[in-house]
Amino acid sequence: MKIAIAHDYLVQMGGAERVVEVFHQMYPSAPIYTTMFSNNRLLDELRDADIRASWLQKMPGGKSHFKEMLPLYPFAIKDFDFREFDIVLSSSSAFMKSIQVPKNTFHLCYCHTPMRFAWDYDTYMERQTKSSVMKRLLKIYIDQLKQWDQKTSANVNQFIANSSVVKNRIRNYYQRDSDVIFPPINTTRFHSSSSIDNYYLIVSRLVSYKRIDLAVEAFNRNGLPLHIVGEGPDLMRLKAMAKGNVRFLGRLDDGSVTQMMAQCRALIFPGEEDFGITPLEANAAGRPVVAYQAGGALDTIVPQVNGVFFKRQEVEDLLLAIEELENHAWDVRRIVQHAQKFDEKTFMDKLKIYMAKAYQQFREGH
């Protein structure tokens, strides 16, 4: 079978891009179709891949302003030609699930979420620093985009959801069923440490919906050290509100992040994520997590086993959860064993079996 991989864009490094990297491991000869990619942001494991970008790749400034290209994506994905492939495996949290494939090509979409900026627009824009006029204009476009997104969901033969909450969104927004296969964690990359430091850790893109501001406010109040790894448009706002015990370390290489996870007191996970790979990476390093009780964390955090929840996105709730974590005796071995349930090999085995069965059913239906 000839397989192609498709992904929204490769201009930032996050959990979805880690999934694409595992797809590439599974099918190294499969080309990766994407709207645009940035060489200096690619994961090392993708540097040998056959990456085929749309005409957006040639747009001046497109890679650094990819969010501003929003109206162009539906047109960019129309030009992809998948006639030579038996299967297209798409990875999508935005546009790539809407690609058009030939009638005899099977389109399996690994859905990280239906596009959040469309279906949860008010929450997504709540802390964005755009003018009220710009927000109103965007709202008009977003209403049209939701109709397009719903209509083009029919271009997918079968959906896989990355979490229970995403499965529910696919049902609510697209009226489609899906099966859940949790994203892969490279547990072998992480190791526990006998030397634990006194800092708490955040590893995240710095965008407003991830609620890093909530953690900054909490640590401003309790005075404990908080190290924040990552970069993004919210950086200056967060720096302006942070006290001296909160350090911003920028983007770090994988080795540095691995070491920091092994030695932190705990990982702070204050936003509502579709799944959330980072908490399980911290678990693979033997460290517990303080997580907001919503989204993908409901599938991955077991209270008193690998972390604690806080119920409301309020400073007081987060502070109480940190106190609870401090007062609990954590079993490092048990935390690591929990993370290993989400290992890359488990993901690969499940996906291969699922894809073979789904493709067989598709062929029988044709």
Side-chain angles (χ1 to χ4, degrees):
M1 294 186 299
K2 288 203 70 175
I3 297 172
I5 297 166
H7 182 63
D8 297 314
Y9 28 65
L10 291 165
V11 293
Q12 58 188 5
M13 185 174 68
E17 287 68 41
R18 295 282 183 192
V19 172
V20 174
E21 182 258 308
V22 173
F23 287 173
H24 178 57
Q25 282 186 53
M26 294 172 69
Y27 308 108
S29 61
I32 300 174
Y33 288 80
T34 189
T35 54
M36 65 177 89
F37 68 95
S38 173
N39 278 316
N40 61 359
R41 294 297 180 90
L42 277 181
L43 295 169
D44 289 341
E45 295 84 354
L46 292 176
R47 294 191 182 279
D48 66 338
D50 174 7
I51 299 177
R52 304 179 185 182
S54 75
W55 47 262
L56 283 178
Q57 182 73 11
K58 297 178 181 177
M59 293 283 285
K63 299 180 202 66
S64 52
H65 299 283
F66 67 97
K67 289 186 178 179
E68 284 77 5
M69 318 287 277
L70 186 64
L72 299 178
Y73 290 108
F75 301 100
I77 63 172
K78 279 186 175 181
D79 291 342
F80 292 134
D81 183 354
F82 296 108
R83 283 176 295 181
E84 65 179 290
F85 300 103
D86 301 299
I87 298 175
V88 177
L89 175 61
S90 67
S91 156
S92 182
S93 59
F95 298 95
M96 203 54 80
K97 72 111 182 72
S98 301
I99 52 174
Q100 294 178 312
V101 303
K103 188 172 66 172
N104 292 324
T105 298
F106 178 59
H107 180 189
L108 178 63
C109 176
Y110 189 85
C111 186
H112 305 282
T113 181
M115 51 179 75
R116 289 181 69 164
F117 53 83
W119 294 102
D120 195 15
Y121 175 80
D122 292 334
T123 303
Y124 195 84
M125 294 298 292
E126 189 176 5
R127 291 170 178 79
Q128 296 282 339
T129 56
K130 297 188 186 299
S131 69
S132 57
V133 173
M134 178 59 75
K135 285 184 179 181
R136 281 198 297 272
L137 289 172
L138 271 172
K139 184 68 167 64
I140 294 169
Y141 172 69
I142 289 298
D143 287 342
Q144 297 174 336
L145 184 63
K146 283 164 70 173
Q147 293 177 33
W148 175 86
D149 187 51
Q150 196 167 50
K151 182 180 177 182
T152 57
S153 65
N155 294 353
V156 176
N157 296 111
Q158 181 65 45
F159 278 102
I160 297 175
N162 76 346
S163 68
S164 301
V165 70
V166 169
K167 177 183 175 72
N168 291 333
R169 288 179 199 158
I170 292 169
R171 182 186 297 118
N172 292 339
Y173 302 150
Y174 301 151
Q175 289 76 56
R176 296 285 302 275
D177 196 15
S178 60
D179 295 294
V180 176
I181 298 179
F182 296 126
I185 311 299
N186 181 2
T187 57
T188 59
R189 174 186 146 200
F190 298 93
H191 55 83
S192 58
S193 173
S194 58
S195 171
I196 305 303
D197 214 322
N198 67 340
Y199 64 87
Y200 284 77
L201 182 65
I202 288 176
V203 180
S204 174
R205 285 184 291 118
L206 305 184
V207 292
S208 59
Y209 82 87
K210 290 182 179 286
R211 297 306 314 272
I212 311 301
D213 59 327
L214 179 68
V216 170
E217 288 182 35
F219 281 82
N220 279 347
R221 195 179 300 185
N222 67 18
L224 296 172
L226 175 64
H227 293 180
I228 300 176
V229 176
E231 56 190 12
D234 220 23
L235 176 61
M236 298 313 295
R237 182 177 78 93
L238 294 169
K239 276 188 170 181
M241 65 186 291
K243 291 185 177 180
N245 58 307
V246 180
R247 293 181 58 196
F248 294 86
L249 305 179
R251 183 183 173 194
L252 299 179
D253 61 82
D254 283 355
S256 299
V257 173
T258 298
Q259 193 62 34
M260 292 194 72
M261 281 191 172
Q263 295 183 317
C264 70
R265 289 198 67 75
L267 183 89
I268 306 294
F269 195 65
E272 180 177 350
E273 292 286 358
D274 310 312
F275 178 72
I277 286 178
T278 311
L280 288 169
E281 291 181 333
N283 289 164
R287 306 313 305 148
V289 177
V290 179
Y292 175 46
Q293 192 171 5
L298 299 173
D299 285 327
T300 61
I301 304 299
V302 180
Q304 310 305 321
V305 173
N306 66 323
V308 297
F309 281 128
F310 61 100
K311 290 186 178 180
R312 298 175 305 159
Q313 286 178 312
E314 303 286 348
V315 171
E316 290 76 14
D317 283 36
L318 177 52
L319 287 170
L320 286 171
I322 293 168
E323 281 186 31
E324 181 184 348
L325 182 135
E326 287 280 352
N327 292 324
H328 184 72
W330 295 99
D331 183 338
V332 171
R333 189 166 61 92
R334 198 175 176 198
I335 293 173
V336 171
Q337 285 174 345
H338 176 80
Q340 287 171 343
K341 296 175 186 175
F342 300 84
D343 186 65
E344 280 183 356
K345 185 179 184 307
T346 300
F347 173 84
M348 290 181 185
D349 291 345
K350 285 182 178 178
L351 182 60
K352 281 185 175 177
I353 292 168
Y354 186 93
M355 192 159 77
K357 183 178 179 181
Y359 179 66
Q360 181 63 32
Q361 290 173 344
F362 170 77
R363 294 299 299 165
E364 289 172 358
H366 280 66

